[in-house]
Amino acid sequence: MRYLLATRYNDYDTKGHVNNAVYLTFFEMARHQLWTDGFGESGDFPFIVAEAQVRFVSPAHIDVPLAIEIVLGEVRTKAWVWRYRVVDAGSDRLIAEGQTVQVMYDYAAGASVPIPDAIRAKLERT
Amino acid sequence: MRYLLATRYNDYDTKGHVNNAVYLTFFEMARHQLWTDGFGESGDFPFIVAEAQVRFVSPAHIDVPLAIEIVLGEVRTKAWVWRYRVVDAGSDRLIAEGQTVQVMYDYAAGASVPIPDAIRAKLERT
Amino acid sequence: MRYLLATRYNDYDTKGHVNNAVYLTFFEMARHQLWTDGFGESGDFPFIVAEAQVRFVSPAHIDVPLAIEIVLGEVRTKAWVWRYRVVDAGSDRLIAEGQTVQVMYDYAAGASVPIPDAIRAKLERT
Amino acid sequence: MRYLLATRYNDYDTKGHVNNAVYLTFFEMARHQLWTDGFGESGDFPFIVAEAQVRFVSPAHIDVPLAIEIVLGEVRTKAWVWRYRVVDAGSDRLIAEGQTVQVMYDYAAGASVPIPDAIRAKLERT
């Protein structure tokens, strides 16, 4: 899926570029939009993020509209990978790319759990 | 003007509500959208915020879409007021309201300046 | 009470100044330090913020250490006021000042409650 | 080096844990403290972050004081690696670990540059 990214003035730091930590929030925005609008699930996520990686390729200057692509990577019993590309929404110039590993989690029980079949089916339709 | 607010998962704090400080960012998002999309000006604002007030009326729970309204208040020689209402985008329930005072500023000169006529005309069309 | 403020690189925006929304977080940091270190209470606050005001007096440039003062204002049955001054920790130059109104809140019951006597005593010792 | 981490109430999300994106800010806080207090350099960094990785090991609950350790990894001509461990400041329980790659950068010229000898010497004393 590809989404436009609503950036905020305070995402940009003293250099006039999006601050590096904000990219993990961008990844979270893509997960959130996929999970709620795409899957019809609640935005109070039933999974934890176990790992995150970002490669910063070119700076995101203020006034340049951004988009993000999210695609499914490997799916295991309890965990799955999402990969992301942040691009200039106009020119498709690559700005950053990365991935996160999610683990399905039962917050009431305080334990990881297998991915339910219904969620697995939604993940694989991404 | 009225805009949909793209909230982020980490806007919500341990209570499941939008954190109080985020409302000043919501106000900034409305200013930014008005200034860029509405006025056709650069998002690197040529003004400073001199005062801000927020009244928190009811909590903004996760998964509730939000909208923001921005209207012009008093306009003086160098400064103007914007007023804001954050509402539940579905029911129009009032969530927070407030205002900010902006002062036109020449960052190169390091001094406040009169509002240029072209900006004043755009402000008054809001 | 007066506390040193641990600022973060991404508190500063494209102008090289602390972004306006961050001041409400600075106020929250002062409340948090007073509530936990000063009062010995949990950082998961049992109150809501009902109103906030900030007056931005002079910019906070990067590399300038900041301090914050928090003092008690009016105390009512269920609510109280805290006032804040953010200053240059070296020169005491005033950078911003403001206040917040807090209402004691029972999150389990979903209702405001009178300030318990033990909390009132701690507030008044501030 | 090891530093105490001044967390903020709004670092914690709806689960009561530090939000995943905040760890890149924690890494930045460690870099900033090392660069300014440790090296005596300006907090307006003369480098860019090219890559970041985080592994989230156990959750950081509210009211648990955190510390961060930063150590130098590989140093190349223009780039170097810092590794980080975020721990419970009391028990030393590992909460998250990761690394970032920095590239020395001349913002005026808009180009990467070799690490100056004076900076290299400070890096290697870490």
Side-chain angles (χ1 to χ4, degrees), chain A residues 21-76:
Chain A
V22 176
Y23 288 90
L24 288 193
T25 297
F26 287 170
F27 292 0
E28 189 163 69
M29 291 165 72
R31 287 195 297 275
H32 188 270
Q33 196 161 351
L34 180 63
W35 197 259
T36 57
D37 295 351
F39 292 1
E41 300 284 338
S42 162
D44 207 358
F45 301 130
F47 56 78
I48 56 176
V49 178
E51 291 174 40
Q53 291 175 34
V54 195
R55 198 167 65 89
F56 306 95
V57 177
S58 61
H61 293 279
I62 204 163
D63 287 335
V64 173
L66 303 181
I68 188 164
E69 297 163 8
I70 177 171
V71 297
L72 186 68
E74 188 190 0
V75 183
R76 297 192 296 262

Side-chain angles (χ1 to χ4, degrees), chain C residues 80-103:
Chain C
W80 70 96
V81 172
W82 273 320
R83 300 189 202 287
Y84 312 84
R85 296 177 80 247
V86 176
V87 299
D88 178 324
S91 69
D92 269 338
R93 173 176 57 97
L94 181 63
I95 289 173
E97 61 186 0
Q99 64 176 53
T100 54
V101 178
Q102 288 71 223
V103 179

Side-chain angles (χ1 to χ4, degrees), chain B:
Chain B
M1 296 295 295
R2 179 182 167 117
Y3 302 111
L4 287 179
L5 272 172
T7 62
R8 298 175 176 184
Y9 177 66
N10 62 355
D11 292 337
Y12 297 83
D13 64 21
T14 65
K15 313 299 193 189
H17 306 160
V18 170
N19 180 261
N20 72 89
V22 176
Y23 287 90
L24 288 193
T25 297
F26 287 170
F27 292 0
E28 189 163 67
M29 290 163 73
R31 287 195 296 276
H32 187 270
Q33 196 161 352
L34 180 63
W35 198 259
T36 58
D37 296 350
F39 292 2
E41 299 285 337
S42 162
D44 207 359
F45 302 130
F47 55 78
I48 56 175
V49 178
E51 291 175 40
Q53 292 176 35
V54 196
R55 198 167 65 88
F56 306 95
V57 178
S58 60
H61 294 279
I62 204 163
D63 288 334
V64 174
L66 302 181
I68 188 163
E69 296 162 7
I70 176 170
V71 298
L72 186 68
E74 189 190 0
V75 183
R76 297 191 296 262
T77 306
K78 295 179 165 184
W80 69 96
V81 173
W82 273 319
R83 300 189 203 286
Y84 312 83
R85 296 176 79 247
V86 176
V87 298
D88 178 325
S91 70
D92 268 338
R93 173 175 57 98
L94 181 63
I95 288 173
E97 60 186 0
Q99 65 176 54
T100 54
V101 177
Q102 288 70 223
V103 178
M104 205 75 204
Y105 201 78
D106 179 336
Y107 276 92
S112 60
V113 291
I115 303 170
D117 288 345
I119 295 291
R120 181 177 299 269
K122 289 176 178 180
L123 282 171
E124 291 179 349
R125 281 204 318 265
T126 316

